[in-house]
Amino acid sequence: MYERFYGLRELPFELAPNPGYLFLTAQHREALRNLQYGLSSAKAITALVGEAGTGKTTLLHAAIESEPCANVRCVYLNNPALTRQEFVEVLSRRSTSARAQASRRPCC
């Protein structure tokens, strides 16, 4: 209804983050560079901490989709309520799946 009224090409609010709408403040730019560095240099752990609603998930998706991280294989776990056992199981399943997908991609 309001998409047509306001001339919007897509829905303005979604549950999933959209890096296309990311507004980078100086702090967001610094966090994005740190995430890109952590991902592209294969650091074991890169942490991003902040208040709810400050753009952490959107920044993470923007970093994963960015040019510096184009060849990075990563596993995104978005359920903070996993038990230790569930965490290990999900990590194992998703990393195996990510490796299989990467091996199917054409090389060169």
Side-chain angles (χ1 to χ4, degrees):
M1 165 178 99
Y2 54 85
E3 294 93 345
R4 192 169 6 152
F5 180 81
Y6 288 106
L8 302 173
R9 286 176 257 143
E10 56 188 81
L11 293 174
F13 304 104
E14 294 291 330
L15 292 178
N18 185 344
Y21 293 112
L22 180 60
F23 176 76
L24 292 173
T25 64
Q27 294 87 354
H28 285 95
R29 219 178 331 278
E30 180 182 359
L32 180 60
R33 283 193 302 264
N34 284 327
L35 283 171
Q36 289 169 329
Y37 171 75
L39 290 167
S40 64
S41 62
K43 297 293 180 192
I45 294 177
T46 300
L48 178 63
V49 180
E51 296 293 324
T54 57
K56 297 177 300 295
T57 302
T58 305
L59 273 176
L60 181 56
H61 285 280
I64 290 169
E65 295 173 11
S66 70
E67 182 62 33
C69 299
N71 296 316
V72 171
R73 289 191 328 228
C74 64
V75 175
Y76 174 63
L77 300 175
N78 58 347
N79 184 349
L82 295 174
T83 66
R84 184 177 297 181
Q85 181 64 34
E86 290 168 334
F87 174 81
V88 171
E89 289 171 5
V90 171
L91 183 59
S92 175
R93 259 194 326 271
R94 290 194 186 169
S95 63
T96 302
S97 173
R99 277 194 298 272
Q101 287 176 354
S103 67
R104 282 187 237 131
R105 287 188 208 140
C107 178
C108 308

